[in-house]
Amino acid sequence: MKISWNWLRTLVDVGTMSPAEAAEVLTSTGLEVESVHRHEPVQGMLEGVVVGHVVERTKHPDADRLSLCKVDVGSGELLDIVCGAANVAQGQKVLVATVGSTLYPASGEPLTIKRAKIRGAVSNGMICAEDELGLGTSHEGILVLDPSAEVGRPAADLLGLEADHVLEIGLTPNRSDALGHLGVARDLRAAVTYRTGRELPLKRPDVSAFTEGSEGPVVAVSVEAPETCPRYAGLTLAGVRVGPSPEWLKARLQAIGLRPINNVVDVTNYVQHELGQPLHAFDADKLAGGRIIVGHLPEGSPFTTLDGVERKLSAGDLMIRDAEGGACIAGVFGGLHSGVTEGTTRIFLESACFDAVSVRRTARRHGLHTDASFRFERGVDPELTVYALKRAALLLGEVAGARVVSPVTDIISKPATWVRVKLRVSAVQALSGIALGADEVVRALELLEHRIVQREGDVLVVEVPPYRVDVTREADLVEEVLRIHGLDAVPLPERLMSPPALRTLPTADGLQDRLHAELEARGFTEVMTSSLVSAQKMLAIQATTAEHLVRLRNPLSSELDVMRPTLLTGLLATVAHNRARQRRDMRLFESGRVYRVEKGHALRETPQVVLALTGRFEREGWRSATRDVEVADLRAEVEALAMRFGLPGARFVAVPHPLLHEAVELVHRDVPLAVLGQVHAHVARAFDVEQTVFVAELQVDAWVATLGTKPPTYQEVPRFPAVRRDLSLLLDEGVTFVQLEQLARDAERLLLREVGLFDVYQGDKLPKGKKSYALSFILQDRERTLTDELVDKAMGRIRSALEKGVGAELRG
């Protein structure tokens, strides 16, 4: 949220307070000011540029297109200036850039004015054109001023240019009351008054001059959807002259980053950013039947918005209609055919309070994010509805010649309520640590316009104004008091006592943070995908079954109608997106939750971290040939994570998986930690992925539980040497390495440390349906040196297990 300091000071008199000091106060109230920067309507503010009087003008003796001018700039002596403009003439009042000043033209680099010789003639300044001053783009000649302009007067002063400071506030979603300058002024005034005792009046814009009209014809209003439109107000204005806004109005909008459009639109934007109440102006002559209807249109109705895009409406979209169809998407975006144009002379001005949830759904559905929807989604003050309307009507009378020709229509379907909340004064100290008296608490709340309706002993009954939609509990009121007292004024005791934490038990969040850091260090890139997916696609790839899907009651579309049952599909969509942009090699991971309906309709959310490898194993280089990634590469990454987190001894077990080919599960002490494998080809093709993708799903809760069972301990490097033995085996084609490793580890649990696969052969030299694996076995005893006899016995047990388990035959 951008706040203009000059604008803010029209609403609260802060005296000599600087923008930086105000930023510090606002931050201490919870309105965190992220930056303060100077805003200049014209860069450099035309410093060194003054009004000059051309006393004499003669032709340059050596250049037909140059003139020699003597110019009075109020310095006591005439300046010789060479001018190339054809329209320069004796007697003119002009703008002169004196020597040493710097100009910032509309295009090109800044120009510092120096004393110079031009074709032999001395020039002590520059008579400027509009574009040279950065005031516009015209270069047809020098800028000629009104003859009454005072010689020597600074150009910025003459043109009414005023520098400003802009405060960038990082608003939290609950502070919709600060989405206008008035709300920020309220907090600033309350804090300064409370802390200094200096009374600062809040200067609300005066609307006492507003009078209703009765000239007619007027626009008739009806509300057919009161549940989504608690209040709707409007009035008709005639005699409107649409044109450019005055400079003061343009300057206000430009300071906060808005582009002036015309005086009518600019007034609605001005009031929105002043009060926080969105407004909309319709061309009254384009409203069919002279009617406004707040309601809905049938599903699929076409509607063209102001940006020229035809959109298909949902039956749930709240619309502003006329007698023939849609005129505006309520609270979101106006319609193309009812908008204000240069030919508009009558307008219907709307000020309303729309349901936040309804506006949010419509805005998301159509991908429209406007200043108006931003405010309605967070909740606007229903008590500002008519006040904002009157404020805008008076401004339109001032800048567009408009006159009110109708009474104010004000339809209240749901009256605004002041929520009553009980507050114990003792709770302020209990929750904040600050001991405040009842009078101080009352003072803070009243400065924020809360009403104290009952005061009995330690208990206050407080009525909360409708502008604070988030204040509903005692704790919320304590926070209100604390904000005005100063969040930075909470005292710290001289000594802080805390019990020593010798060991912190792992948490899901903590583990995920560590996993993120580890994966990023290993070259993985984190991605974030939507938690909403298509039920049809999930069932088609058999990611889950229909009864286990978590369905949305009001989905935005059929493509986003269930919560994701797996993170794998989001990663596949990311692979497809990158592959379509010529990126083949990817190491990705995503952290998030997956959702499932269990028996008894209980919802289960499970945190996971999912890895994906695809493409080449490493970048192509001249020193070595490259290869594509394999499942063994992903397995090595998962094993490295397990070792890094202190889980040695984890083993892989073959398991079935609906989405993965030859899936294996990482198990530690009978607890499944992860499952990995190659994505089935038909699953990958469902997401337009043609290349091989390997995926690992890490179960965060299982990792946390396993890590929490035993603290990490130091283990010294083994003193006794390891022994390696190799076996070359003839196997059936369907046998996997994981099966062999599992059989070997089950057969020799004491001495076997590692099992490796270092050669694979399949060819015509072997019987049909057979393959050859060469395996390495590392054996080691931490207490003694292994003898040949011990090694031979261990290898015998392993060989026997392989022969019995999968029919392995020893080769060579």
Side-chain angles (χ1 to χ4, degrees):
M1 178 67 186
K2 293 183 178 180
I3 296 295
S4 158
W5 177 241
N6 290 343
W7 195 344
L8 192 65
R9 288 190 299 171
T10 67
L11 300 171
V12 58
D13 183 5
V14 292
T16 59
M17 178 180 283
S18 69
E21 291 170 333
E24 189 174 336
V25 172
L26 288 171
T27 298
S28 72
T29 69
L31 296 179
E32 183 181 359
V33 179
E34 297 175 338
S35 68
V36 179
H37 65 268
R38 179 180 169 89
H39 170 78
E40 297 177 343
V42 175
Q43 190 175 359
M45 291 298 291
L46 302 183
E47 187 175 351
V49 181
V50 298
V51 176
H53 177 218
V54 181
V55 176
E56 178 183 314
R57 181 252 180 189
T58 59
K59 290 188 64 176
H60 193 295
D62 297 325
D64 293 339
R65 296 186 179 181
L66 298 180
S67 300
L68 302 180
C69 302
K70 291 189 178 294
V71 184
D72 179 12
V73 295
S75 62
E77 59 180 277
L78 299 181
L79 299 181
D80 293 316
I81 297 178
V82 178
C83 181
N87 67 326
V88 66
Q90 183 175 329
Q92 291 175 334
K93 295 289 181 67
V94 294
L95 290 179
V96 178
T98 57
V99 172
S101 61
T102 299
L103 300 181
Y104 297 87
S107 61
E109 297 297 318
L111 173 66
T112 299
I113 305 302
K114 301 177 181 178
R115 187 175 184 273
K117 271 192 174 184
I118 303 176
R119 292 289 186 96
V122 174
S123 184
N124 290 304
M126 178 178 173
I127 303 175
C128 301
E130 179 183 290
D131 65 329
E132 293 165 337
L133 295 168
L135 297 174
T137 57
S138 173
H139 194 70
E140 295 179 357
I142 59 169
L143 193 62
V144 180
L145 306 176
D146 187 275
S148 63
E150 178 186 351
V151 171
R153 186 179 182 184
D157 185 34
L158 175 76
L159 299 174
L161 301 179
E162 185 181 20
D164 198 354
H165 285 82
V166 177
L167 285 67
E168 295 257 11
I169 298 179
L171 283 181
T172 51
N174 64 310
R175 292 303 307 276
S176 59
D177 61 295
L179 285 169
H181 283 69
L182 181 63
V184 176
R186 182 194 292 117
D187 269 19
L188 181 61
R189 173 248 182 184
V192 173
T193 299
Y194 178 89
R195 299 173 195 179
T196 66
R198 181 163 57 97
E199 289 290 339
L200 298 181
L202 188 63
K203 299 185 288 187
R204 298 175 183 272
D206 184 14
V207 296
S208 60
F210 176 84
T211 55
E212 295 185 340
S214 57
E215 299 178 31
V218 299
V219 175
V221 179
S222 61
V223 176
E224 295 180 351
E227 68 283 354
T228 49
C229 182
R231 188 171 189 178
Y232 190 92
L235 55 81
T236 307
L237 300 100
V240 180
R241 296 187 299 274
V242 178
S245 295
E247 292 301 321
W248 71 265
L249 180 51
K250 289 181 180 178
R252 285 277 193 269
L253 298 179
Q254 288 169 339
I256 59 174
L258 296 183
R259 178 177 62 88
I261 298 173
N262 60 52
N263 48 7
V264 175
V265 175
D266 291 350
V267 163
T268 61
N269 282 333
Y270 182 87
V271 174
Q272 175 174 258
H273 285 268
E274 181 179 59
L275 305 180
Q277 171 64 48
L279 303 174
H280 189 72
F282 299 89
D283 188 323
D285 293 324
K286 295 178 182 177
L287 294 173
R291 296 178 61 194
I292 282 287
I293 305 166
V294 184
H296 300 275
L297 287 171
E299 182 75 30
S301 298
F303 177 69
T304 304
T305 45
L306 276 171
D307 55 2
V309 176
E310 182 177 282
R311 305 176 189 276
K312 298 296 183 183
L313 299 176
S314 165
D317 294 335
L318 185 64
M319 295 293 297
I320 310 301
R321 309 180 344 239
D322 58 18
E324 295 180 355
C328 175
I329 302 178
V332 181
F333 210 23
L336 181 65
H337 304 300
S338 62
V340 173
T341 65
E342 291 182 358
T344 298
T345 59
R346 292 176 66 245
I347 64 172
F348 176 77
L349 191 61
E350 166 195 279
S351 179
C353 179
F354 298 118
D355 177 68
V357 174
S358 173
V359 172
R360 185 181 303 116
R361 286 176 178 168
T362 296
R364 297 297 185 273
R365 186 180 295 119
H366 296 289
L368 293 169
H369 306 284
T370 61
D371 281 350
S373 69
F374 186 79
R375 285 161 174 78
F376 282 123
E377 286 177 30
R378 286 155 178 78
V380 298
D381 183 0
E383 294 197 340
L384 282 179
T385 306
V386 172
Y387 175 69
L389 199 64
K390 293 178 179 180
R391 171 65 168 157
L394 290 172
L395 286 173
L396 286 169
E398 177 185 339
V399 305
R403 66 182 189 279
V404 179
V405 296
S406 76
V408 173
T409 297
D410 185 17
I411 300 174
I412 302 176
S413 305
K414 181 182 178 182
T417 57
W418 288 61
V419 177
R420 287 197 173 191
V421 181
K422 286 186 178 181
L423 171 64
R424 292 166 296 128
V425 175
S426 58
V428 176
Q429 181 174 1
L431 293 178
S432 70
I434 301 176
L436 296 178
D439 290 342
E440 292 174 289
V441 172
V442 169
R443 177 68 167 152
L445 292 173
E446 288 181 339
L447 284 169
L448 291 173
E449 301 175 0
H450 295 63
R451 297 196 294 233
I452 311 301
V453 296
Q454 187 177 334
R455 182 171 174 177
E456 186 174 336
D458 183 55
V459 179
L460 305 174
V461 178
V462 183
E463 284 189 342
V464 180
Y467 79 79
R468 283 313 302 267
V469 296
D470 63 314
V471 177
T472 58
R473 306 168 301 163
E474 182 180 64
D476 299 330
L477 286 175
V478 172
E479 182 182 0
E480 289 288 270
V481 173
L482 185 58
R483 289 196 311 106
I484 301 309
H485 182 79
L487 294 168
D488 56 352
V490 177
L492 286 175
E494 292 183 5
R495 298 170 62 189
L496 289 175
M497 305 293 290
S498 66
L502 299 179
R503 176 171 177 256
T504 302
L505 291 175
T507 64
D509 289 341
L511 176 68
Q512 285 174 310
D513 289 343
R514 289 180 60 194
L515 280 172
H516 290 191
E518 188 69 23
L519 289 169
E520 287 165 1
R522 299 185 68 83
F524 284 82
T525 299
E526 184 177 10
V527 302
M528 296 179 67
T529 63
S530 174
S531 57
L532 301 179
V533 294
S534 165
Q536 183 179 1
K537 181 169 282 190
M538 294 303 101
L539 296 175
I541 64 173
Q542 298 181 345
T544 186
T545 55
E547 63 270 20
H548 293 306
L549 285 173
V550 180
R551 300 181 183 273
L552 302 186
R553 290 182 179 175
N554 298 296
L556 297 178
S557 74
S558 60
E559 292 297 312
L560 303 169
D561 58 347
V562 296
M563 305 295 286
R564 62 189 175 198
T566 174
L567 288 172
L568 183 150
T569 55
L571 284 175
L572 287 177
T574 303
V575 170
H577 178 83
N578 283 270
R579 190 68 187 90
R581 287 154 181 80
Q582 309 303 313
R583 184 178 177 187
R584 178 174 178 268
D585 310 323
M586 284 163 268
R587 296 167 66 87
L588 308 174
F589 79 94
E590 180 171 14
S591 177
R593 293 178 178 271
V594 296
Y595 305 86
R596 174 185 172 91
V597 175
E598 301 286 8
K599 291 181 180 180
H601 305 289
L603 173 62
R604 181 182 178 188
E605 299 181 24
T606 305
Q608 289 185 349
V609 176
V610 179
L611 286 59
L613 285 182
T614 187
R616 292 173 296 189
F617 176 67
E618 59 187 358
R619 293 179 62 183
E620 188 176 8
W622 63 273
R623 296 172 61 183
S624 61
T626 187
R627 63 172 177 82
D628 284 347
V629 293
E630 302 168 353
V631 71
D633 300 318
L634 185 57
R635 171 176 166 162
E637 294 290 348
V638 175
E639 285 180 318
L641 288 174
M643 291 294 294
R644 181 70 179 84
F645 283 82
L647 298 175
R651 57 194 178 89
F652 287 96
V653 179
V655 293
H657 194 285
L659 305 179
L660 301 179
H661 175 62
E662 294 186 352
V664 294
E665 197 169 58
L666 179 68
V667 178
H668 184 269
R669 295 176 182 168
D670 297 326
V671 177
L673 299 178
V675 62
L676 63 94
Q678 177 184 334
V679 177
H680 281 306
H682 74 275
V683 175
R685 282 195 297 271
F687 292 86
D688 299 321
V689 176
E690 297 297 332
Q691 67 189 53
T692 303
V693 181
F694 299 97
V695 169
E697 295 179 341
L698 278 58
Q699 305 299 331
V700 173
D701 286 343
W703 283 66
V704 170
T706 303
L707 290 173
T709 58
K710 183 177 123 176
T713 56
Y714 167 75
Q715 190 176 68
E716 67 175 347
V717 176
R719 291 178 298 157
F720 301 99
V723 175
R724 169 172 169 161
R725 290 286 189 269
D726 296 342
L727 292 179
S728 180
L729 303 172
L730 184 66
L731 305 163
D732 291 337
E733 280 185 343
V735 176
T736 65
F737 170 71
V738 171
Q739 290 176 281
L740 299 175
E741 181 185 26
Q742 184 175 343
L743 288 169
R745 290 190 181 279
D746 288 342
E748 183 52 59
R749 296 178 180 273
L750 180 63
L751 301 180
L752 184 59
R753 297 286 175 259
E754 296 178 22
V755 182
L757 173 65
F758 63 89
D759 188 50
V760 176
Y761 175 74
Q762 285 179 287
D764 54 8
K765 295 181 180 180
L766 297 178
K768 187 177 180 180
K770 295 289 185 178
K771 63 182 177 182
S772 174
Y773 274 9
L775 302 181
S776 63
F777 301 88
I778 306 296
L779 299 101
Q780 188 178 44
D781 193 321
R782 293 184 178 276
E783 304 298 329
R784 56 181 172 170
T785 300
L786 290 176
T787 63
D788 289 341
E789 182 182 359
L790 288 173
V791 172
D792 290 342
K793 286 182 178 179
M795 290 303 299
R797 288 190 290 270
I798 291 172
R799 187 166 57 249
S800 176
L802 297 177
E803 291 170 351
K804 293 177 180 178
V806 294
E809 299 177 32
L810 191 64
R811 298 185 68 205

